[in-house]
Amino acid sequence: MGFAKFKGCFVLVFFVGFLVGSVSGIGVNWGTQSTHPLPPSTVVKMLKDNGIQKVKLFDADSDILEALKKSGIQVMVGIPNDMLYTLANSLQAAEKWVSKNISAHLSSGGVDIRYIAVGNEPFLSTYNGTFESTTLPALQNIQSALIKSGLGNQVKVTVPMNADVYLSASDKPSDGDFRPDIHDLMLQIVKFLSQNNAPFTVNIYPFISLYSDANFPVDFAFFDGFQTPINDNGRIYDNVLDANHDTLVWALQKNGFGNMPIIVGEIGWPTDGDHNANIKYAQRFNQGFMSRLLAGKGTPIRPGPIDAYLFSLIDEDGKSIQPGNFERHWGMFYYDGKPKYLLNLGTRTNSLVGASGVAYLPKKWCVLKPSANLNSDQVAPSVSYACQNADCTSLGYGTSCGGLDVRGNLSYAFNSYYQVNDQIDSACKFPGLSVVTDNDPSTPNCKFIIMIQTDSAYYFRNWRRIWSLPMMVFVFLFLNIM
Ligand SMILES: *[C@@H]1O[C@H](CO)[C@@H](O)[C@H](O)[C@H]1NC(C)=O
Ligand SMILES: *[C@@H]1O[C@H](CO)[C@@H](O)[C@H](O)[C@H]1NC(C)=O
Ligand SMILES: *[C@@H]1O[C@H](CO)[C@@H](O)[C@H](O)[C@H]1NC(C)=O
């Protein structure tokens, strides 16, 4: 009887925890590495129109935080990796960061900041261990600064990790543990998070599994069943998200932290830049994920709903394509805030609501001159310059513009450069090759974009545009001399 009573109590606590806990609705990542970002107020309206309750940022841009004020949206603020060294080595710097980027926004009556993401995937193997010695001390300093400013309970720290900080010795989640080379470091971080009631955050990318392994079974990346599921001592895994997530649960459990809350910091599917990155797959993945989430369905070990942030809200044409050409196409919305596909977020409508009041540049495109000589020795340097300084990630095998011929390819590159540079005349002066037209060169699959107007505040803060003008003058002088 006594035991039953205890059990009842436990169930009640569990339910209350579930209702008031952080698991409510869906979050999105709002990245800003765009040549022409939408104004923060426009994006906040999009978030609200789509019933999105949580947003994850990659820094602490004060204009963005200002726009989120009194929006009712919960915020995870980010600290970029390049600040970790300073924050690790100076408690004072951490106190300043918290005071300027957290306290100021909370006390002025308004931004609902819940988490600070200290670093972003700092143990990614491409960083060669650069952030291994600074991540934990930076985390500790930020936590101390939060406590000192009285925010220790209100705002929680976390570190968004790439999913390869843990692995399984077999295909079974139950063989999961932290990666041997960073095992001790991961334990120290997990222990610190646990001591401060903070969650573990992980970014999980079934798309990358498919991208990096030609033999990866496509259906295992999605949520509509898989012919040969993994049977892990009676737990059935028919999709890689569940298997990956529960590998982390096992890694935590094996090291004594089986109850640590987990946030999926990034999850999503890109729509261009690779033959597996397309609208059909992105919709299948994101809707499959959302439908599970809306049904309150979690993973075999943690059956409750997952706390997750979709990656991402809007395409970012200024991102590095070092990970792959798909990197600029993760958005549920295009650069201009137009929805890419139907998606039911379980909120107000069954389809995504686009940005309103977006102003475009005039309907003009820069294309290859019909009379251009393709044997000109200007062709190669022109296209490579345009692509390096604009965006040609929609060209190539299996992409949206992959069906263009050589002439179409050149036009696409020239137009991209022209639009990124706000249609200024000098951005359509590829020697003897280019001309401005008002006939839309788009094809049914391949969109030749018209860039959006950005306000002057953003214009001058944008590194790419500041550098591209003198660079362009230099290169054209150089090409003309040749
Ligand atoms: C606040 O955050 C911004 C954006 O990440 C950063 O540039 C700035 O240095 C931070 N302020 C302090 C005092 O650290
Ligand atoms: C990591 O190491 C590789 C190979 O040594 C090198 O090419 C790359 O630039 C390094 N990356 C960083 C971020 O240091
Ligand atoms: C168009 O450009 C892409 C990317 O540079 C290239 O992969 C493709 O082969 C080109 N197509 C033609 C027909 O030249």
Side-chain angles (χ1 to χ4, degrees):
M1 187 65 201
F3 179 68
K5 213 168 160 186
F6 174 76
K7 227 169 99 184
C9 225
F10 175 79
V11 168
L12 184 70
V13 167
F14 175 80
F15 261 90
V16 170
F18 167 72
L19 290 173
V20 302
S22 57
V23 185
S24 63
I26 185 68
V28 296
N29 283 272
W30 175 359
T32 55
Q33 296 183 56
S34 307
T35 63
H36 292 64
L38 288 165
S41 56
T42 304
V43 178
V44 171
K45 181 163 188 306
M46 282 170 77
L47 294 172
K48 290 209 255 182
D49 287 347
N50 287 288
I52 291 163
Q53 293 115 316
K54 300 182 288 191
V55 71
K56 177 166 165 286
L57 308 173
F58 292 90
D59 55 15
D61 184 310
S62 56
D63 291 341
I64 287 180
L65 289 169
E66 190 61 28
L68 284 163
K69 212 171 174 178
K70 300 198 171 78
S71 62
I73 297 168
Q74 300 178 11
V75 182
M76 183 185 293
V77 168
I79 296 179
N81 290 336
D82 62 13
M83 292 191 74
L84 295 176
Y85 181 85
T86 307
L87 297 171
N89 286 291
S90 163
L91 179 57
Q92 208 190 354
E95 285 170 357
K96 261 171 100 173
W97 190 93
V98 166
S99 144
K100 175 131 193 304
N101 285 330
I102 302 294
S103 309
H105 297 289
L106 293 173
S107 56
S108 59
V111 190
D112 188 1
I113 300 173
R114 301 289 177 108
Y115 297 104
I116 302 173
V118 181
N120 185 42
E121 302 189 337
F123 304 150
L124 215 54
S125 57
T126 50
Y127 296 140
N128 299 341
T130 305
F131 306 111
E132 281 175 21
S133 59
T134 48
T135 301
L136 178 58
L139 185 70
Q140 288 166 329
N141 281 346
I142 290 290
Q143 177 65 28
S144 302
L146 281 174
I147 291 170
K148 194 172 166 190
S149 43
L151 299 172
N153 290 322
Q154 190 177 345
V155 181
K156 297 291 171 197
V157 287
T158 189
V159 183
M161 296 284 182
N162 46 296
D164 74 356
V165 297
Y166 50 85
L167 41 80
S168 171
S170 68
D171 64 353
K172 295 189 170 70
S174 58
D175 284 327
D177 202 346
F178 293 111
R179 217 168 74 197
D181 63 309
I182 51 170
H183 193 275
D184 290 350
L185 176 57
M186 286 306 300
L187 277 201
Q188 289 174 52
I189 290 177
V190 166
K191 191 168 166 213
F192 185 77
L193 293 173
S194 170
Q195 282 163 352
N196 291 287
N197 295 315
F200 191 100
T201 301
V202 63
N203 300 340
I204 300 179
Y205 280 115
F207 169 79
I208 304 287
S209 306
L210 194 54
Y211 178 77
S212 49
D213 178 1
N215 296 317
F216 190 88
V218 174
D219 286 342
F220 196 51
F222 297 93
F223 305 101
D224 351 84
F226 177 53
Q227 277 195 330
T228 48
I230 295 166
N231 183 334
D232 189 4
N233 303 312
R235 290 194 176 96
I236 306 300
Y237 290 91
D238 65 0
N239 69 83
V240 70
L241 170 73
D242 282 349
N244 192 309
H245 180 281
D246 284 359
T247 303
L248 169 62
V249 176
W250 276 104
L252 289 168
Q253 191 162 309
K254 233 168 253 178
N255 291 288
F257 298 94
N259 292 322
M260 173 163 269
I262 295 172
I263 292 178
V264 176
E266 296 182 10
I267 182 146
W269 199 282
T271 55
D272 210 348
D274 181 70
H275 68 285
N276 285 318
N278 53 53
I279 299 274
K280 202 175 124 210
Y281 277 2
Q283 185 188 35
R284 180 179 169 196
F285 183 83
N286 282 339
Q287 191 61 67
F289 179 73
M290 281 311 304
S291 300
R292 280 167 48 120
L293 191 125
L294 295 171
K297 184 174 175 296
T299 69
I301 306 187
R302 295 214 180 159
I306 294 181
D307 191 3
Y309 295 78
L310 294 174
F311 193 90
S312 75
L313 189 61
I314 305 168
D315 281 349
E316 297 170 77
D317 66 347
K319 286 192 91 172
S320 159
I321 51 170
Q322 193 261 330
N325 279 346
F326 54 82
E327 193 62 18
R328 294 177 179 166
H329 303 279
W330 288 100
M332 294 182 279
F333 295 87
Y334 292 105
Y335 71 103
D336 56 355
K338 282 215 174 82
K340 291 181 179 175
Y341 42 83
L342 290 175
L343 185 63
N344 182 358
L345 296 175
T347 52
R348 288 170 206 180
T349 56
N350 282 343
S351 53
L352 297 170
V353 183
S356 44
V358 176
Y360 292 83
L361 297 175
K363 288 206 156 117
K364 291 195 295 177
W365 295 263
C366 177
V367 293
L368 184 74
K369 257 188 201 164
S371 63
N373 173 12
L374 290 188
N375 297 322
S376 155
D377 57 8
Q378 302 286 2
V379 169
S382 295
V383 72
S384 91
Y385 180 75
C387 288
Q388 264 165 40
N389 292 283
D391 181 25
C392 296
T393 55
S394 299
L395 296 175
Y397 170 67
T399 61
S400 65
C401 299
L404 296 178
D405 60 10
V406 185
R407 303 189 76 92
N409 259 4
L410 289 167
S411 288
Y412 188 92
F414 293 169
N415 184 59
S416 178
Y417 184 75
Y418 181 60
Q419 302 297 337
V420 161
N421 289 289
D422 299 289
Q423 302 185 352
I424 54 171
D425 288 345
S426 58
C428 191
K429 291 240 167 13
F430 296 94
L433 297 173
S434 56
V435 65
V436 172
T437 177
D438 49 19
N439 286 329
D440 187 348
S442 301
T443 69
N445 292 325
C446 171
K447 177 122 174 113
F448 282 63
I449 66 153
I450 293 287
M451 191 40 88
I452 58 173
Q453 291 178 23
T454 39
D455 59 358
S456 53
Y458 271 85
Y459 189 95
F460 291 106
R461 281 177 20 191
N462 194 298
W463 59 271
R464 180 190 284 268
R465 278 124 66 61
I466 291 165
W467 286 107
S468 67
L469 293 176
M471 267 297 282
M472 195 169 63
V473 170
F474 171 77
V475 166
F476 281 107
L477 283 177
F478 179 72
L479 287 177
N480 285 334
I481 289 164
M482 292 199 340

